Amino acid sequence: MTSSTIAITRPAHAPSMTLLAWGGLALAGGLLLPWFRTGRDLASFVAGTTGIELLGSEPAVAAALVCALLSAILGMLKLPLYRRGQLALVTAAAGCTLVVLALVGHGQPMGPAPVVVFLGFLSLVGVGLSLSGYLRADAFIAASIVWVAVFVVLFILYPLWAVLQASVVVKGRLTLEVFGTVFQSPNFLMINNPYTPRDEIRIAVTFGAVVAAVSGLVAAVLARKLRPVVVWAAGSGIAGLLISALYLGFGAVRNSVLLALVVGVASTGLGFLFALLAERSQLPTRRLLGPISILPIITPPFVLGLAMVYLFGRQGFVTHSVLGMSTTVFSGLLGLSIAQILAYTPIAFLLLQGVVRAMDVALEEASETLGASNWYTLRTVIWPLARPGIANAFLLTVIESLADFGNPVVIGGGKPYLATEVFYAIIGRYNPNEAAVFGVVLLSMTLTIFLIQRYWVGERFYVTVTGRPTHATPRKLPRALDYAVTGVFLVWVLLIVLLYGSIFVGSVTKLWGFDYTFTLAHVKGLSPSGWYVFRTTASLSLIAALPSTALGFLIGYLVTRYSFPGRRALEFSSMLSFAVPGTVMGIGYILAFNQGTLLLTGTELIIIMAFVFRNMPVAIRSGVAAIHQIDRSLEECSTMLRAGSLTTLRRVVAPLVQAALLSGLVFAFVRAMTAVSQVIFLVTPRVNLSTALILSYVEHGSMGRAAALSSVLVVFMAVVIMIMYSVTTRIDARAGRGAQAKP
Amino acid sequence: MAVPATQLKQVLHQAASPVRFERVTKRFGTVMAVDDVTLKVPAGNLVTLLGPSGCGKTTALRMIAGLEWPTEGRVYIGDEDVTPLPAANRSVTMVFQAYALFPHLTVFENIAYGLRVMRRPHEEIRHRVGEAMSLVGLPGLERRAPAQLSGGQQQRVALARALVMQPKVLLFDEPLSNLDAKLRKRVRADIRMLQQDLGITSIYVTHDQSEALAISDIVVVMNQGRIEQIGTPTDLYRRPASRFVADFIGEANLLPAVVEDGTVRVGSYRFPYRQPGVATGAATLMVRPESVQVGVGGEGLPGRVQTAFFMGTYADYLIETEAGEVSVADPRSVDGIYPMGTEVRLLFSPTALYLLPPGA
Ligand SMILES: Nc1ncnc2c1ncn2[C@@H]1O[C@H](COP(=O)(O)OP(=O)(O)O)[C@@H](O)[C@H]1O
Ligand SMILES: [Mg+2]
């Protein structure tokens, strides 16, 4: 019995089951399933388009199926493994090309057959790469890499390419016309408004000059050297010029940039203060920070905007009912920036917590060295350490603010913003080229910031934060500062409570601002269409959560554990969604999947795909973090015990990242439920989503219903998150018990 | 150790295969981790790769395992060229430095892991895991989690998990580095006894020369990716091929010497010494500290005591001579040591001397 297992020297020419299986699958799928659809409907079965029927009329289809057959046969030929791999690679690559040719040549929307055949060939390419030894990985890993790469190209890079293309190609002609028109339109950017009596440019220049003179003078007094005087005068002069020009100017660029700067500075500042509070306050209020930092995750981004309208709008509860004013001052940049600051402060807070923890160490070290004044310590020790983290938080909140779509729609006061112009250009003005130009401008801004964040700040940021031991007894805040910051925090909490409260109350109030009697009419009014849309949203989000988490963790695993050509490119492009504003991705999907063989618009599938690839980067991040926790030798050991990589993933890696997987799944679900910008273009009356429905309620003035549906969403997600936390805590506790019992 | 598990033993003995490196080179970018290494490990032997940290031992081991691939050269196990084979198909198992026990599986499931992957029947798995556990002496711990075991027990689980697969070659990567000093001696004796008992080909990586000398049939001394010397522990100690080996294995005084016909001269001290194959002229003489006698007057290399410590079973001297400093561990001066500043004469006992090859 036992001795039979020693000499597992596999015969060199044993049939290769993987080749046989994938080749067979591609062949069967290609023969039996329909290759084309006539309309949008994914399930439509068009007679006469199965592979069997097309064999005679479509040479490309026939050739592709021959390739599939050849691959299957290869699996049984008596050839050395590497030779078999090389041949499989060639036939499968030819097969892929033929499928593409068949689809492009025909131009009709594709049916299920090409999907099956193409994915079959992709797997065969992977198997070929592995067997031939071109890639040092087993067939599963190699095929995964190929699959993932194709998906990323198709659903991230191709839509972006479509946006770029639409911005410079009009009716098949390469032109910069659209850019020209958009750049000259007052909607885009106007520094000097001819309809105002003042000359904005002159004012800005004057202001810049004054700032330059003042700061130059200050620098001269302090430094008494030429260089700092020139640097400070020039730097602050230019900054003053730009800021005042922005402040006085008009247009989407001005509005978005000004908003992003204000929100970035304020959120980062507040986030930093709250991080101080969380790490070093002596007051019990700091415990509120944890739960409150979850709020933005479970809230659709525009709900705070909606609440702002309730409280501070023309008929706002505070402004109108309490103070008796009728003001629109909060509808526009001011209200919008407040809503965004409230929404993004928790993000900055989470990013800055680690920075404050590291700072603590520096403080202690600094205070132990003799004689350094507080100011000097702050400048030379604390600031350099905190700077990269603060820059990081600032840049990320700026990206969020620039990309935000929901809030500007709800309380933007009808002014243009980059993210909303993309939408209105295509939905209101039916001009995809103009939308694309706005998209490209917005994208180039966020992408630049993303690149700065990633390659300049990001790396330093990680160097300072990771690897530092957390101190058991961090230095406490001075009492006065503690109370002051806690005061700010409590105001913030009060505002948040008021805002959320107004949404909840608003959903059971007859007519907000006029008639505050209790009613269940809005909640009842959700049925049937509101509930139906809610169910659709939940089920699509659930369907999307699984692949987006699985794909994210798989990519995280591949890029941390394997090296292969194009690894960095894969990592970069799959993380790109962090930098791509939702509206840009949305219009990309519209442009890419609205016609031809890739027609997907109007189906559930395109929304699922949008969810999957939008939320994948978050899963990648948590996947990478979780996998870094696992000692690599566990996987190597499993490999040496004859497990293939799929078995290792299933039996060793998955059980060890269970908790992270679960929370990744839940967050992917929740993010999909709250998503707005990337899917706003993709919804149809048939396939609608809660967030889009809320926005359309707002648009049609059904504020009560909007509030009711928002409340349902928020409560539902709070429950989901709470259940998840209790489950993951249990998983962690179980894992912890095993690890603690060390003798 | 516990009840002999004869069947597994037999199988392991049959499986044991030789391992061969044929001009193997491994580069990581510009780093030469392993540099043109040719090496033969006879079946059933325990061979140690010894060298300072970063010299490429682990990399060499991982190339046998199939976890790393040579940039150039071939690796053979038995008669088979395994260079293109992935780790899973090599019939080689390994005891990892930190044991790499699966934390979410019990001891039994850890050991059974490989058999489960191979889908062996339940009965067989139970039987074979039981055999392996009794072989390494782990009775009654099947249900424990790895974290509930002591370091020594964890190590034995790792060993059982490797043995149960009936490998052709067993690899160890610094398996004792996570144990405390006392346990280390016992576990290394256990490993050696078990290995000899099973007759399994084992390749063992360590940076600790005393560990290497204690357990190996053959030691391979590596330095900067290259092999410095291959030999039995006594070979290496008595006849180091280079200054590096002489220094790395034990303590050595390397003194400039002149070889004449039948005699060797160090400074003004000339004594009869012959070593086949050594040409006349300048050479380097290796003198182990314990083979130097310290006396006053008479013949010998004149010197002055610089430091002198009484160490219990011997006296530890540092003596300044015309040929440089000589370190001495003299077991005969137990009843009285020469104090600092004493003018002494050093005598070398000719059986423990070695002239290093020129250029080494
Ligand atoms: N995966 C790797 N990537 C790059 N360099 C490596 C890698 N593994 C080992 N090295 C380098 O190769 C050299 C030999 O390493 P190693 O074999 O681990 O040494 P040892 O086990 O003798 O301490 C070292 O310089 C090490 O930095
Ligand atoms: Mg090592």
Side-chain angles (χ1 to χ4, degrees):
Chain A
M1 168 184 77
T2 16
S3 46
S4 66
T5 53
I6 328 167
I8 301 198
T9 34
R10 315 200 284 151
H13 306 311
S16 165
M17 278 320 197
T18 3
L19 284 176
L20 206 59
W22 283 109
L25 181 73
L27 186 60
L31 283 175
L32 302 176
L33 295 171
W35 278 68
F36 302 106
R37 295 175 285 152
T38 38
R40 291 176 190 279
D41 189 7
L42 288 174
S44 72
F45 184 93
V46 182
T49 64
T50 60
I52 300 177
E53 288 152 311
L54 290 179
L55 276 180
S57 57
E58 293 277 338
V61 171
L65 292 178
V66 169
C67 284
L69 181 66
L70 282 179
S71 317
I73 292 176
L74 267 179
M76 310 210 285
L77 284 186
K78 283 197 190 308
L79 283 173
L81 280 183
Y82 73 94
R83 179 71 67 200
R84 232 187 257 171
Q86 288 167 339
L87 290 174
L89 195 56
V90 173
T91 42
C96 286
T97 320
L98 286 166
V99 172
V100 173
L101 282 181
L103 291 175
V104 171
H106 208 276
Q108 245 179 308
M110 67 166 100
V115 178
V116 173
V117 177
F118 193 74
L119 291 180
F121 280 131
L122 286 187
S123 308
L124 288 168
V125 168
V127 177
L129 284 172
S130 166
L131 287 182
S132 60
Y134 292 138
L135 204 62
R136 274 287 184 185
D138 66 11
F140 171 76
I141 292 295
S144 301
I145 291 171
V146 178
W147 274 55
V148 162
V150 167
F151 276 120
V152 164
V153 167
L154 195 57
F155 289 101
I156 295 179
L157 298 183
Y158 173 56
L160 289 180
W161 169 249
V163 176
L164 272 183
Q165 203 189 16
S167 72
V168 289
V169 177
V170 182
K171 297 197 181 92
R173 201 162 47 83
L174 191 67
T175 170
L176 284 176
E177 241 167 56
V178 194
F179 267 100
T181 339
V182 169
F183 280 16
Q184 277 161 20
S185 90
N187 231 13
F188 181 75
L189 179 64
M190 186 166 53
I191 299 296
N192 193 4
N193 188 345
Y195 301 104
T196 50
R198 59 189 184 195
D199 182 350
E200 280 86 0
I201 291 182
R202 213 171 63 212
I203 302 176
V205 169
T206 318
F207 182 73
V210 169
V211 171
V214 170
S215 71
L217 209 63
V218 173
V221 171
L222 288 180
R224 293 170 195 286
K225 271 188 221 142
L226 186 61
R227 228 179 81 96
V229 173
V230 173
V231 171
W232 275 96
S236 59
I238 291 170
L241 172 72
L242 289 180
I243 290 175
S244 57
L246 270 183
Y247 181 74
L248 297 168
F250 299 86
V253 172
R254 177 260 182 187
N255 291 340
S256 285
V257 172
L258 196 60
L259 176 71
L261 287 177
V262 169
V263 170
V265 169
S267 304
T268 309
L270 280 175
F272 187 74
L273 289 182
F274 293 172
L276 271 182
L277 215 55
E279 291 295 315
R280 296 162 51 191
S281 169
Q282 287 163 296
L283 302 173
T285 38
R286 75 195 186 103
R287 297 215 188 87
L288 283 174
L289 275 160
I292 279 191
S293 61
I294 297 176
L295 281 179
I297 300 170
I298 61 170
T299 315
F302 54 81
V303 164
L304 284 175
L306 196 59
M308 286 290 296
V309 176
Y310 269 7
L311 288 184
F312 305 109
R314 188 193 287 276
Q315 301 297 333
F317 181 73
V318 173
T319 41
H320 184 70
S321 306
V322 177
L323 301 175
M325 305 189 294
S326 175
T327 173
T328 54
V329 58
F330 285 103
S331 156
L333 266 181
L334 181 60
L336 180 52
S337 50
I338 293 175
Q340 285 195 346
I341 290 167
L342 289 171
Y344 302 144
T345 296
I347 298 178
F349 159 71
L350 290 175
L351 289 169
L352 286 165
Q353 233 179 336
V355 175
V356 169
R357 231 172 261 157
M359 217 180 66
D360 209 34
V361 181
L363 255 183
E364 264 157 69
E365 283 162 4
S367 62
E368 278 158 20
T369 61
L370 299 169
S373 76
N374 283 343
W375 173 242
Y376 188 78
T377 312
L378 184 72
R379 224 185 46 189
T380 57
V381 182
I382 298 173
W383 175 239
L385 194 59
R387 191 171 45 195
I390 289 177
N392 187 47
F394 173 74
L395 295 176
L396 290 180
T397 42
V398 164
I399 291 185
E400 291 281 346
S401 166
L402 281 175
D404 184 20
F405 169 80
N407 282 312
V409 165
V410 176
I411 52 163
K415 296 202 179 76
Y417 299 88
L418 285 172
T420 53
E421 278 313 291
V422 176
F423 177 72
Y424 289 127
I426 203 165
I427 300 294
R429 302 194 280 275
Y430 307 107
N431 188 341
N433 301 105
E434 190 195 335
V437 168
F438 273 108
V440 168
V441 171
L442 180 55
L443 181 62
S444 50
M445 284 184 187
T446 53
L447 207 55
T448 310
I449 300 171
F450 177 69
L451 290 176
I452 294 174
Q453 185 267 337
R454 200 174 150 83
Y455 292 106
W456 180 61
V457 180
E459 277 168 24
R460 301 174 194 210
F461 176 57
Y462 285 119
V463 173
T464 24
V465 174
T466 54
R468 279 190 181 267
T470 47
H471 276 235
T473 51
R475 184 169 289 266
K476 292 294 173 199
L477 279 182
R479 195 155 279 263
L481 188 61
D482 198 350
Y483 280 114
V485 178
T486 303
V488 173
F489 174 59
L490 288 179
V491 169
W492 191 82
V493 171
L494 182 72
L495 206 51
I496 288 282
V497 169
L498 273 178
L499 289 167
Y500 277 88
S502 73
I503 293 287
F504 290 125
V505 176
S507 61
V508 290
T509 300
K510 201 160 209 172
L511 187 54
W512 190 273
F514 299 97
D515 183 355
Y516 285 103
T517 45
F518 177 83
T519 173
L520 285 177
H522 306 308
V523 182
K524 285 193 183 129
L526 289 181
S527 110
S529 68
W531 293 116
Y532 176 75
V533 170
F534 181 75
R535 265 202 309 279
T536 314
T537 314
S539 48
L540 291 185
S541 302
L542 196 60
I543 294 172
L546 207 63
S548 87
T549 314
L551 211 54
F553 272 67
L554 183 64
I555 292 180
Y557 182 72
L558 293 175
V559 298
T560 38
R561 291 298 202 232
Y562 288 86
S563 65
F564 48 91
R567 191 192 64 176
R568 298 213 116 210
L570 176 68
E571 195 182 2
F572 180 79
S573 26
S574 49
M575 298 302 272
L576 209 55
S577 308
F578 272 132
V580 181
T583 30
V584 177
M585 209 39 141
I587 157 181
Y589 270 50
I590 283 279
L591 293 170
F593 304 115
N594 203 28
Q595 68 283 311
T597 184
L598 287 173
L599 176 72
L600 279 178
T601 47
T603 65
E604 285 91 347
L605 189 62
I606 194 170
I607 290 178
I608 292 175
M609 286 304 179
F611 284 158
V612 168
F613 289 93
R614 188 77 191 150
N615 299 329
M616 195 178 68
V618 184
I620 295 179
R621 281 213 171 166
S622 49
V624 167
I627 284 156
H628 273 306
Q629 305 264 308
I630 303 177
D631 188 348
R632 199 190 183 124
S633 63
L634 289 183
E635 292 148 49
E636 292 177 345
C637 183
S638 167
T639 308
M640 298 206 60
L641 296 170
R642 300 182 166 223
S645 55
L646 183 58
T647 311
T648 303
L649 272 177
R650 203 161 46 86
R651 286 186 180 239
V652 177
V653 178
L656 293 176
V657 299
Q658 225 174 42
L661 261 175
L662 178 67
S663 64
L665 207 59
V666 170
F667 279 119
F669 172 73
V670 167
R671 283 173 57 94
M673 291 286 294
T674 57
V676 188
S677 47
Q678 67 269 31
V679 285
I680 191 89
F681 302 95
L682 306 175
V683 296
T684 60
R686 198 177 64 82
V687 191
N688 206 347
L689 297 174
S690 308
T691 47
L693 186 62
I694 295 173
L695 281 182
S696 79
Y697 283 151
V698 171
E699 219 170 304
H700 297 114
S702 324
M703 294 297 271
R705 255 186 225 180
L709 190 51
S710 301
S711 308
V712 170
L713 266 180
V714 170
V715 170
F716 176 71
M717 254 126 24
V719 171
V720 168
I721 292 268
M722 255 152 22
I723 292 174
M724 177 202 78
Y725 274 125
S726 79
V727 174
T728 48
T729 327
R730 205 160 302 157
I731 293 177
D732 284 340
R734 211 174 53 207
R737 246 201 324 281
Q740 265 166 19
K742 234 184 162 86
Chain B
M1 295 225 144
V3 204
T6 35
Q7 199 180 21
L8 177 55
K9 238 188 218 177
Q10 240 172 31
V11 176
L12 282 167
H13 190 78
Q14 285 168 20
S17 310
V19 175
R20 206 146 51 86
F21 266 35
E22 202 70 70
R23 307 208 59 175
V24 170
T25 293
K26 175 71 186 181
R27 272 187 295 268
F28 291 108
T30 55
V31 179
M32 241 349 179
V34 170
D35 188 0
D36 194 15
V37 163
T38 298
L39 173 66
K40 260 188 198 142
V41 177
N45 275 14
L46 193 157
V47 171
T48 306
L49 304 182
L50 172 67
S53 167
C55 73
K57 311 177 294 283
T58 299
T59 306
L61 196 73
R62 289 167 61 86
M63 285 192 285
I64 301 171
L67 298 172
E68 220 61 87
W69 296 275
T71 317
E72 284 160 41
R74 324 287 312 168
V75 179
Y76 296 84
I77 295 175
D79 297 325
E80 192 185 4
D81 178 0
V82 297
T83 323
L85 285 189
N89 301 353
R90 289 195 180 191
S91 296
V92 172
T93 52
M94 180 152 157
V95 175
F96 285 83
Q97 191 164 4
Y99 314 138
L101 298 182
F102 303 126
H104 58 296
L105 300 179
T106 60
V107 166
F108 183 92
E109 285 303 324
N110 260 283
I111 300 174
Y113 184 88
L115 301 175
R116 291 229 190 276
V117 168
M118 288 164 68
R119 297 177 200 284
R120 308 305 305 174
H122 281 291
E123 237 346 90
E124 183 189 331
I125 291 180
R126 253 206 18 232
H127 176 73
R128 283 171 66 171
V129 171
E131 253 184 343
M133 286 183 77
S134 70
L135 201 60
V136 300
L138 268 177
L141 296 177
E142 289 90 344
R143 305 253 146 269
R144 294 273 190 93
Q148 295 168 313
L149 302 179
S150 71
Q153 287 170 327
Q154 291 184 3
Q155 219 249 359
R156 276 182 279 177
V157 175
L159 191 56
R161 185 176 60 179
L163 289 174
V164 83
M165 299 299 289
Q166 306 168 346
K168 296 176 180 173
V169 181
L170 183 56
L171 309 177
F172 296 88
D173 189 2
E174 312 229 0
L176 306 184
S177 58
N178 283 343
L179 302 177
D180 57 53
K182 226 171 170 179
L183 201 54
R184 222 175 277 175
K185 263 193 175 161
R186 228 194 55 217
V187 174
R188 94 183 174 203
D190 283 352
I191 289 181
R192 176 56 165 166
M193 258 161 59
L194 189 65
Q195 185 270 333
Q196 283 186 321
D197 193 25
L198 299 174
I200 184 170
T201 315
S202 306
I203 301 173
Y204 189 106
V205 160
T206 179
H207 66 268
D208 179 345
Q209 48 103 8
S210 62
E211 199 173 308
L213 295 184
I215 69 167
S216 322
D217 292 308
I218 300 171
V219 179
V220 178
V221 183
M222 292 183 65
N223 184 25
Q224 298 185 344
R226 294 179 154 275
I227 292 183
E228 287 277 337
Q229 188 174 3
I230 303 179
T232 62
T234 28
D235 263 352
L236 295 181
Y237 194 77
R238 296 253 177 82
R239 291 178 287 281
S242 62
R243 278 175 166 271
F244 177 83
V245 177
D247 248 351
F248 196 75
I249 310 256
E251 207 184 333
N253 296 299
L254 298 168
L255 307 174
V258 178
V259 180
E260 283 150 23
D261 191 29
T263 62
V264 170
R265 187 166 55 78
V266 176
S268 57
Y269 174 39
R270 182 195 294 269
F271 55 95
Y273 178 74
R274 265 179 206 284
Q275 185 174 322
V278 176
T280 54
T284 303
L285 180 71
M286 184 201 70
V287 188
R288 294 288 180 194
E290 67 273 15
S291 55
V292 183
Q293 296 170 20
V294 185
V296 193
E299 249 205 320
L301 180 64
R304 179 203 299 269
V305 176
Q306 283 216 310
T307 60
F309 297 104
F310 177 64
M311 306 296 290
T313 53
Y314 65 95
D316 184 294
Y317 295 106
L318 199 57
I319 291 166
E320 175 77 46
T321 73
E322 42 191 336
E325 278 183 353
V326 177
S327 145
V328 180
D330 188 353
R332 292 169 322 106
S333 357
V334 200
D335 24 45
I337 61 170
Y338 300 105
M340 255 167 65
T342 317
E343 298 287 345
V344 291
R345 297 277 171 150
L346 305 182
L347 288 176
F348 304 147
S349 64
T351 48
L353 298 180
Y354 189 66
L355 284 165
L356 294 188

